[in-house]
Amino acid sequence: MSGISRLGEMIDGARARLCFAARMTALLTLTLMAAPAHSQEPETTVFTGGMLISGLSVPPLHDATIVVQGERIVAVGPTAEVAIPENARIIDTSGRTMMPGLIDAHAHLFMVGYGSEAHWFEWLEGEGSHYSIEQIMELSGYQMLMSGVTGAIDLGGNAEESVSVRNRINAGGIAGPRLQVSGPLVTRRAFGGFPDAASAVLSSPREGVEIVNRLHRIGVDVIKLHAGLTREDYFAMVEAAHANGMKVHAHLYDEPALRNAIDAGVDVFQHVGSAGMPTYSDEIVKEVAGTFRPIVLTAAHRSWIYPDTVAFPGRLEDPAIKALFPEDIWAAVQHSFEEWPSEGYFARIDRQIAYRSPQVKQWIASNAVMGVGTDSGTPMNFNHDGLIREMKVLVDEGMSPLEVIRDTTRVNAQIMGMRDIGTIEPGKYADIIVVPGDPVYAELNNLFSVQVVMKGGVLYKLDGEPTIPLPF
Ligand SMILES: [Zn+2]
Ligand SMILES: [Zn+2]
């Protein structure tokens, strides 16, 4: 068991007595136990020498320095102008780039990229597996964090497990991104491939309101409206969610559903532009852009993953991904790929490949506010590389690398409503990653090999190696 896991148990016991700040300081102290003796002052880490992409709409800064004290950034600027505190741990980033931790605005931590959603949950419940859904979420959180994802919104899973994993990550007990969770898909028809607990089924707007209120009591952060809902359902549940202070994310492909979601006040339009149809009408695209409410395309899953995998089947055996799996889960995942081209998940792939590029280009041209999300965990859409693949699609379809980084960091932080993350500025949480070379020139390809990951002042990856082992 890792130092962080042990610490988590200690923290669980002492939670009532410790305030959040004290817990985080304790975490930092224990995590760095292997480091040389330190004073009672908060640990200080300095990143210096490399290029800085701050997440703000400004050009990169060359030869920059970031000073981190405890869990927060305390100074940022040109190296010549930033005082480096004595006894600080120095991370030389020369020839590399420092940037905010990435945020995934649409993840599913209870899946890991298995070739078929339904068969994944059958395997998980069968005799070959001794893992709980909560453990899988823990594994996915670890995979994401080691890939530079320090924040995520989980949009569809089991409510109790989702809330528990979020709380354990926040308490420092396990390694994972800062999480917001929706719990189940709220829908008129249960989603076949998922466990029963991952759908909340209503047959009237009134039942929908009861579901929203129940999920609020369980402690979810946001509501995920799924398919088949009536106009009245959207209105009733958005009102109930907002009354509880929760944002509503809606799973939307077709235009009538989007129409209802816009009118009802849905906060985030998920999957819009994800190759469900040829293109949207100009009127509705303009209208969405004019609401300044964000869309999250989730473009890369399915319609880019499929042809990418045909072109290079070896991506399914990538050792960098294998290293983030326990052996038995990896073996099951490999087995699941044997018949992948015929899986139902890809039943409409020819049309989706035809629609993908016109749709993504249409939404980029609209200048709608755009978050970046993956639907990660879906078939062959690994938690390790899903977000980088999504970012690359946006670059390939016409956005600049800096725009895509901005949307994956600052804009996604705004979608989460978290003011303390998403950019590298004094006062913010120290959620920082370091990548080789220049991601602007490399069109984000070097994000596949994140070398340093810090979240809240704690180093989870250094010199390309995790500082803590796989959770199991
Ligand atoms: Zn969805
Ligand atoms: Zn999803």
Side-chain angles (χ1 to χ4, degrees):
M1 187 186 284
S2 72
I4 286 187
S5 303
R6 277 195 301 277
L7 177 73
E9 287 168 10
M10 292 163 57
I11 283 173
D12 280 341
R15 183 173 295 160
R17 285 178 283 112
L18 287 176
C19 71
F20 178 76
R23 281 205 307 273
M24 291 307 290
T25 307
L27 169 62
L28 188 72
T29 308
L30 279 188
T31 306
L32 299 177
M33 250 175 3
H38 46 265
S39 69
Q40 293 306 306
E41 293 295 306
E43 288 284 343
T44 304
T45 304
V46 174
F47 297 82
T48 185
M51 182 165 87
L52 172 72
I53 294 175
S54 65
L56 298 165
S57 293
V58 297
L61 178 64
H62 299 281
D63 193 359
T65 291
I66 308 169
V67 181
V68 174
Q69 223 157 51
E71 61 189 344
R72 300 217 180 228
I73 296 164
V74 295
V76 184
T79 298
E81 294 173 16
V82 175
I84 295 184
E86 274 179 46
N87 302 324
R89 168 184 202 141
I90 307 287
I91 298 175
D92 182 355
T93 58
S94 303
R96 302 191 281 175
T97 298
M98 306 169 277
M99 51 186 277
L102 307 175
I103 299 172
D104 188 340
H106 190 140
H108 294 281
L109 273 71
F110 70 172
M111 298 188 292
V112 296
Y114 197 91
S116 142
E117 290 167 340
H119 293 159
W120 163 242
F121 292 105
E122 278 168 24
W123 180 81
L124 208 53
E125 284 159 21
E127 294 199 344
S129 154
H130 57 274
Y131 298 99
S132 65
I133 284 201
E134 186 160 339
Q135 285 178 308
I136 296 300
M137 295 189 74
E138 187 177 339
L139 173 66
S140 298
Y142 178 90
Q143 294 176 337
M144 294 167 86
L145 192 60
M146 292 311 161
S147 309
V149 180
T150 56
I153 311 175
D154 186 291
L155 289 177
N158 300 17
E160 264 92 10
E161 286 91 335
S162 298
V163 167
S164 169
V165 167
R166 178 201 66 198
N167 291 349
R168 288 164 65 213
I169 291 173
N170 288 347
I174 54 175
R178 300 177 193 279
L179 270 190
Q180 286 188 343
V181 300
S182 71
L185 313 171
V186 181
T187 175
R188 283 229 175 204
R189 40 173 203 266
F191 187 69
F194 284 3
D196 290 347
S199 293
V201 182
L202 57 127
S203 52
S204 68
R206 190 194 160 94
E207 280 180 19
V209 170
E210 284 166 12
I211 288 170
V212 169
N213 290 335
R214 179 172 60 81
L215 291 173
H216 178 66
R217 286 195 299 274
I218 292 173
V220 306
D221 303 281
V222 298
I223 295 296
K224 167 80 179 291
L225 299 185
H226 202 248
L229 301 172
T230 67
R231 185 170 171 84
E232 291 69 32
D233 295 337
Y234 282 102
F235 274 82
M237 290 191 283
V238 170
E239 190 185 346
H242 288 173
N244 284 312
M246 296 190 293
K247 284 190 183 181
V248 177
H249 294 247
H251 166 111
L252 302 162
Y253 287 92
D254 61 80
E255 204 156 318
L258 180 55
R259 172 81 268 148
N260 290 335
I262 295 169
D263 294 346
V266 161
D267 300 280
V268 187
F269 307 118
Q270 293 279 353
H271 304 301
V272 170
S274 179
M277 52 198 248
T279 47
Y280 292 83
S281 69
D282 289 344
E283 293 72 33
I284 208 156
V285 170
K286 259 194 204 130
E287 197 180 336
V288 167
T291 64
F292 297 102
R293 288 182 250 157
I295 57 165
V296 177
L297 294 171
T298 66
H301 79 303
R302 203 153 29 204
S303 63
W304 262 276
I305 289 279
Y306 187 102
D308 285 356
T309 308
V310 171
F312 180 56
R315 67 168 287 265
L316 300 177
E317 299 161 16
D318 185 341
I321 299 176
K322 182 181 180 188
L324 296 171
F325 276 93
E327 266 176 41
D328 53 348
I329 300 180
W330 180 250
V333 168
Q334 288 299 305
H335 182 66
S336 78
F337 294 146
E338 283 165 15
E339 308 284 341
W340 72 265
S342 61
E343 281 295 346
Y345 185 77
F346 298 110
R348 298 177 59 238
I349 194 63
D350 296 323
R351 296 270 62 75
Q352 287 159 340
I353 290 172
Y355 300 157
R356 62 182 195 175
S357 195
Q359 277 215 354
V360 173
K361 283 192 162 70
Q362 179 182 37
W363 286 103
I364 291 174
S366 78
N367 287 316
V369 177
M370 197 185 289
V372 182
T374 59
D375 223 7
S376 76
T378 48
M380 302 177 325
N381 190 13
F382 297 109
N383 296 305
H384 168 65
D385 63 355
L387 189 54
I388 318 302
R389 286 178 173 275
E390 182 74 18
M391 294 171 79
K392 275 191 59 54
V393 163
L394 298 175
V395 171
D396 293 345
E397 295 299 320
M399 289 175 72
S400 78
L402 282 177
E403 287 170 335
V404 176
I405 290 172
R406 170 202 67 196
D407 288 354
T408 313
T409 57
R410 191 176 91 216
V411 174
N412 276 354
Q414 286 165 353
I415 290 174
M416 292 178 84
M418 294 189 70
R419 291 165 181 271
D420 282 359
I421 60 173
T423 59
I424 295 187
E425 294 177 272
K428 298 243 174 165
Y429 283 120
D431 293 3
I432 300 167
I433 62 174
V434 179
V435 301
D438 171 7
V440 178
Y441 176 76
E443 298 188 325
L444 306 184
N445 279 304
N446 46 3
L447 296 190
F448 285 111
S449 32
V450 168
Q451 294 177 336
V452 180
V453 178
M454 172 179 273
K455 191 193 80 174
V458 178
L459 280 165
Y460 288 94
K461 193 175 191 183
L462 189 62
D463 300 329
E465 293 296 329
T467 60
I468 59 169
L470 272 169
F472 32 75

